[in-house]
Amino acid sequence: MNDVILLKLGEIVLKGLNRRSFEQKLMNNIRYRLERIGKFKVTLMQSTVYVEALDEGADMDEAFEALGKVFGIATLSRAAACEKDAQSIAELCISYLRREMLSAESFKVEAKRADKSFPMTSIQLSQYVGSALSDAYPDCRVDVHSPELTVHVEVRDIAAYVHSAPTQGAGGMPLGSNGVGVTLLSGGIDSPVSTYMISKRGVRLIPIHFFSFPYTSQQAKDKVIELARELCDYCGRMTLEVVPFTHIQEEIRDKCPEEYFTLIMRRFMMRIADRIAVSNGAKAIVTGENLGQVASQTMEAMAVTRAVTQLPILQPLIGMDKEEIVRMARKIGTFETSILPYEDCCTVFTPRHPKTKPHIEEVEQLEAALDVEALVDEALSGIERIRIGYGE
């Protein structure tokens, strides 16, 4: 009996002539994710990826957990394989699913016959296996409408596979299949979630953090590094770009009206993000903005902020409730780190009465008091780059 993990493809199956490139991205991502766990054989056939251990050191439990965070996979199943023979399949179901059958009060069998040369139809195979299971476990009744346990049998090209209910995968598109972007990563709840959501659409991201030492602490910077590590479970290897932002904020404080501090600060962030994106071949900027959540996230304020870049601004959280964002943060494992009490640069020199409905002309006039290009160049020259890989 061979233990195997079955991975069912998600949206990739809807692709046309370019489907092969998406599949190749997914296979590369799977192999990379398994590298540190052990040696595995990874095969793609009939919209299913088969993962088999090649030595005793390959931990199938750890592999299953890791593959549950790989984008592009719809469902995962721990399965056992046997030869394509009805009696062998029934015997495997009886032995492999013993624990599930003993704990369930009702069951049904769902068979799929991908190999059309198999002599039984799917219905015939379901009935055959179901009868064998009923004889072996008489206390577990058959219920084809609302069973507590569904036994899955798949007859495929190489072998037959038996498993219980599949586990939902990460979904989305394979990481890297939709290009590269940059993402603004603060220490809050929202930006890690927005990073995750755009990564799920197949975008490989470069996180950017604006650091204002000594107004923000080393603990605040360490917090963001930890968030990036946690995101690596889904987003893969990343290089965190830590941008020194103190001088820019001090210049804004000294030369601009208080109510415009946040607006002008965010325009600098966008300018810097735009330059980093272009230098890395990235095609979009990702932010965690949420309409109306704070003063800088009104429609007027966001229009003024985005006016300094030509790249598209992707805002996956724009219409979400805060409760939805918090639920997602808990799901992906970033919430507890995000709520640590170390504040980022967005809390530095916060205006008492921020401008919520600015006009771009007046903001541009106020920025004339600043040497914008010199400040941006200075910040870019002082970037600290921190490489963060999966499992580190």
Side-chain angles (χ1 to χ4, degrees):
M1 182 172 62
N2 297 320
D3 195 18
V4 61
I5 300 173
L6 304 182
L7 311 175
K8 300 298 177 69
L9 304 191
E11 292 180 51
I12 297 175
V13 300
L14 303 176
K15 297 298 177 183
L17 297 177
N18 61 345
R19 174 172 167 172
R20 179 60 182 164
S21 64
F22 287 88
E23 291 176 340
Q24 191 58 54
K25 284 283 186 184
L26 177 60
M27 294 294 282
N28 290 341
N29 294 343
I30 290 171
R31 291 188 176 105
Y32 165 67
R33 191 60 60 92
L34 293 172
E35 272 181 3
R36 57 180 289 274
I37 300 173
K39 293 183 179 181
F40 295 86
K41 178 182 178 183
V42 183
T43 311
L44 172 62
M45 291 181 292
Q46 297 176 311
S47 299
T48 300
V49 179
Y50 302 81
V51 179
E52 301 173 77
L54 292 179
D55 58 44
E56 293 183 358
D59 189 326
M60 292 293 278
D61 291 331
E62 187 178 355
F64 190 85
E65 182 180 355
L67 293 172
K69 298 176 180 179
V70 174
F71 293 129
I73 298 170
T75 63
L76 309 83
S77 303
R78 285 289 293 271
C82 68
E83 60 186 78
K84 293 185 288 184
D85 170 77
Q87 183 176 347
S88 299
I89 293 170
E91 291 172 353
L92 180 58
C93 287
I94 292 169
S95 60
Y96 186 68
L97 300 177
R98 176 177 173 79
R99 185 179 62 181
E100 290 89 339
M101 290 296 299
L102 288 173
S103 61
E105 293 185 358
S106 61
F107 79 99
K108 75 171 181 178
V109 178
E110 286 189 359
K112 293 183 179 179
R113 189 182 58 139
D115 178 4
K116 301 306 180 185
S117 67
F118 188 75
M120 286 182 171
T121 66
S122 297
I123 294 175
Q124 289 171 336
L125 182 58
S126 296
Q127 292 171 339
Y128 182 88
V129 173
S131 177
L133 286 170
S134 288
D135 292 341
Y137 302 100
D139 293 334
C140 189
R141 60 184 172 82
V142 174
D143 183 349
V144 297
H145 299 294
S146 301
E148 185 178 336
L149 170 67
T150 300
V151 174
H152 294 266
V153 175
E154 303 183 33
V155 181
R156 295 185 167 273
D157 284 353
I158 296 178
Y161 300 90
V162 170
H163 60 88
S164 57
T167 300
Q168 185 176 357
M173 302 293 291
L175 192 64
S177 62
N178 278 322
V180 180
V182 299
T183 182
L184 306 190
L185 187 62
S186 72
I189 296 171
D190 297 351
S191 61
V193 175
S194 63
T195 299
Y196 162 86
M197 291 179 70
I198 294 300
S199 289
K200 185 174 180 178
R201 300 311 306 156
V203 180
R204 187 171 293 281
L205 290 171
I206 301 166
I208 302 171
H209 178 65
F210 295 92
F211 184 51
S212 293
F213 188 82
Y215 302 106
T216 54
S217 65
Q218 179 63 38
Q219 290 97 322
K221 177 181 170 183
D222 293 340
K223 172 182 172 180
V224 172
I225 294 171
E226 179 59 27
L227 285 171
R229 286 199 184 101
E230 291 165 351
L231 286 167
C232 270
D233 281 353
Y234 295 96
C235 305
R237 291 167 289 192
M238 298 189 291
T239 298
L240 175 65
E241 308 248 342
V242 182
V243 179
F245 208 54
T246 307
H247 189 202
I248 289 174
Q249 289 191 287
E250 290 175 337
E251 285 288 289
I252 295 171
R253 176 200 60 188
D254 295 341
K255 297 178 181 179
C256 299
E258 181 185 343
E259 63 266 32
Y260 288 92
F261 282 179
T262 303
L263 275 169
I264 295 174
M265 176 194 73
R266 289 195 64 80
R267 280 166 63 88
F268 270 95
M269 288 179 173
M270 288 298 178
R271 290 185 179 100
I272 293 168
D274 187 82
R275 291 273 295 273
I276 293 173
V278 170
S279 66
N280 286 277
K283 304 301 182 184
I285 299 171
V286 181
T287 75
E289 290 166 306
N290 179 256
L291 186 61
Q293 182 172 244
V294 294
S296 64
Q297 294 175 10
T298 64
M299 284 192 277
E300 294 88 347
M302 286 190 287
V304 168
T305 298
R306 68 169 53 205
V308 297
T309 176
Q310 297 299 311
L311 291 176
I313 310 297
L314 306 182
Q315 301 164 304
L317 311 186
I318 197 69
M320 295 177 68
D321 294 335
K322 191 66 178 182
E323 291 81 2
E324 293 177 285
I325 300 170
V326 168
R327 281 199 300 272
M328 183 65 74
R330 290 185 186 277
K331 174 187 171 184
I332 65 177
T334 57
F335 179 76
E336 295 300 329
T337 302
S338 290
I339 61 173
L340 292 174
Y342 308 119
E343 297 179 324
D344 58 38
C345 71
C346 294
T347 63
V348 177
F349 311 135
T350 303
R352 291 164 292 181
H353 304 288
K355 193 77 171 178
T356 58
K357 295 185 178 181
H359 297 286
I360 191 166
E361 295 81 11
E362 59 187 354
V363 175
E364 289 174 342
Q365 288 176 1
L366 294 172
E367 285 182 340
L370 304 168
D371 191 343
V372 172
E373 288 304 313
L375 288 169
V376 169
D377 288 341
E378 178 188 347
L380 289 168
S381 68
I383 287 177
E384 177 188 4
R385 294 177 175 86
I386 302 171
R387 290 184 60 82
I388 299 172
Y390 172 75
E392 296 178 1

